[in-house]
Amino acid sequence: MTIAVFSDIHGNIYSLEKALKIMEQYKPDKYLFLGDMAGYYYYQNESIDLLNNLDDLISIKGNHDEYFLKSLNDKEYLKKLINKYGKSYQYLHDNITKQSLSFFNNLKENEKNEQFEAYHGSPNNHLEGYCYPDSEINFESNAPILFLGHTHYPMQRTNEEITIINPGSIGQPRDFNKGSFSIVDINNIKVENIRYEYKKEKLTKTVIKLNDNKYLKDVLERDKNERN
């Protein structure tokens, strides 16, 4: 069975559109989204519409998704999110569709079965846990494959009999400036991490137009080989 595994879209419709076109070429049996639709950029409604068209999709809740849900009934918390992460939270708050709200409300904190376990963060901290390529492994899994997101860094590691896979980020990769997802053969535990270019100009113009957090523009415009 082949799974297309992806994470951390963050409202970046332009990168998601390109990623899904590439994923289609692999004809995956399932799609696994590891969370963080909310935060940073502005096209959550449109991105969710694309995901809703996928067959056999599993969607996990990310920390930014939880932040957004909490902000719906807490104006002061919403202000803190805007100050820290940018105006996408206000934009989503003001423009969310019924379909998108249903998507956020139905996100799962994890997925567990005999073949794999999936979390946005880690088994110890489902939403906020970090596992980087050089992190110490201090958690266990009852399945042979463990999928994690959150760091925006693609990774494949083996810890005893567990293969740990992070597909990287669709919306805001942080190892170098190309979108990232993974195609995984579950039965044979074969992993192909896919890197791809996409046109960032429209998203950059939107950040500038909204006079949003300068960090967002800097991330989009940094050199394609620059790491941070």
Side-chain angles (χ1 to χ4, degrees), residues 14-125:
Y14 304 110
S15 183
L16 179 62
E17 287 176 330
K18 182 67 176 289
L20 291 177
K21 288 179 181 178
I22 301 172
M23 290 178 199
E24 289 174 3
Q25 300 173 15
Y26 289 84
K27 299 180 180 179
D29 301 294
K30 290 180 181 291
Y31 293 86
L32 174 60
F33 171 50
L34 294 173
D36 270 7
M37 176 62 75
Y40 296 122
Y41 304 111
Y42 319 101
Y43 301 103
Q44 280 79 12
N45 289 324
E46 295 84 352
S47 298
I48 288 169
D49 287 343
L50 289 179
L51 294 194
N52 283 339
N53 288 327
L54 297 176
D55 294 328
D56 214 342
L57 170 69
I58 299 170
S59 293
I60 306 298
K61 182 189 290 185
N63 58 305
H64 281 272
D65 305 320
E66 180 68 15
Y67 299 162
F68 171 68
L69 289 170
K70 182 179 176 181
S71 76
L72 289 174
N73 298 308
D74 190 333
K75 292 183 178 180
E76 290 303 314
Y77 186 66
L78 177 60
K79 290 180 181 178
K80 291 180 181 179
L81 293 175
I82 295 167
N83 289 335
K84 185 172 183 178
Y85 299 110
K87 297 179 179 179
S88 66
Y89 276 101
Q90 185 69 64
Y91 187 85
L92 182 58
H93 188 277
D94 294 343
N95 296 282
I96 191 166
T97 65
K98 290 182 179 179
Q99 291 84 356
S100 294
L101 184 58
S102 177
F103 176 87
F104 281 110
N105 282 325
N106 287 294
L107 290 170
K108 306 168 66 173
E109 276 213 7
N110 59 73
E111 173 72 14
K112 295 182 180 181
N113 55 56
E114 293 182 353
Q115 294 178 304
F116 66 85
E117 292 185 11
Y119 307 87
H120 180 68
S122 73
N124 293 348
N125 187 337

Side-chain angles (χ1 to χ4, degrees), residues 200-215:
K200 305 176 179 68
E201 292 79 7
K202 290 183 179 180
L203 192 54
T204 301
K205 288 180 180 178
T206 304
V207 173
I208 296 171
K209 181 180 178 180
L210 294 175
N211 192 29
D212 206 350
N213 193 319
K214 185 177 181 295
Y215 166 77

